[in-house]
Amino acid sequence: HDWSKTFVLLENLNSEVIEFYQRPVFIGDSPGTEGYELLFFAGRRWVLASTAKLLTEDEDDPFNREDIISLFESSVFWLLEVPTEALSYLSEPVDQGNDRGTPLGLQWYNARYADGVAFPFADISRPVDASFRCGKCN
């Protein structure tokens, strides 16, 4: 799976930035074969996921931005019901000391799933050689 090289803020039709856990949601600038890639804050870590794996209802379309936006506007509790393997990568933990409100400058890890646990662990034995930087900052 080749991930997007560029992410932009996810905005609704009124050009309002979509937020989740008081942080902006970023979306890959063009869809791949499995929909869009999303970069969002999950309460303690930033995560990278594909819309095809997050939007699991039959009527949801991983290529439709309105379906993607409705997921984030519905409730924070859907995150606890994410299907196994839906989240591909997780950042290092974010705390007050390193919280910039964005995923810039964080270390990333492969997601590791354990039986009976809804949310994956960051597999610190498998760091990912990835970094995010600001190309057009505001």
Side-chain angles (χ1 to χ4, degrees), residues 10-81:
L10 179 60
E11 298 178 341
N12 63 19
L13 295 174
N14 297 325
S15 298
E16 298 167 329
V17 174
I18 302 302
E19 292 187 345
F20 194 64
Y21 281 100
Q22 295 83 42
R23 306 290 190 289
V25 176
F26 296 90
I27 187 168
D29 63 346
S30 59
T33 56
E34 295 184 0
Y36 287 92
E37 285 94 23
L38 296 172
L39 187 56
F40 60 94
F41 190 65
R44 179 141 165 84
R45 298 177 186 271
W46 286 85
V47 298
L48 188 60
S50 166
T51 56
K53 294 180 180 178
L54 286 178
L55 298 172
T56 57
E57 301 297 321
D58 290 338
E59 66 274 7
D60 288 336
D61 180 357
F63 296 94
N64 182 316
R65 283 184 181 233
E66 291 305 310
D67 286 349
I68 297 166
I69 290 169
S70 68
L71 177 69
F72 288 99
E73 291 181 338
S74 61
S75 166
V76 295
F77 300 114
W78 63 264
L79 195 54
L80 298 176
E81 299 173 4

Side-chain angles (χ1 to χ4, degrees), residues 2 8 13 33 44 47 56 80 86 100 106-107 117 120 131 134 136:
D2 288 329
V8 296
L13 295 174
T33 56
R44 179 141 165 84
V47 298
T56 57
L80 298 176
R100 298 181 186 170
L106 298 174
Q107 174 64 54
V117 178
S131 65
C134 187
K136 182 181 176 187

Side-chain angles (χ1 to χ4, degrees), residues 88-122:
S88 299
Y89 301 101
L90 292 92
S91 74
E92 65 184 281
V94 174
D95 57 30
Q96 287 184 341
N98 67 350
D99 187 5
R100 298 181 186 170
T102 71
L104 298 179
L106 298 174
Q107 174 64 54
W108 288 83
Y109 303 95
N110 284 286
R112 182 172 52 100
Y113 288 84
D115 291 336
V117 178
F119 198 81
F121 298 97

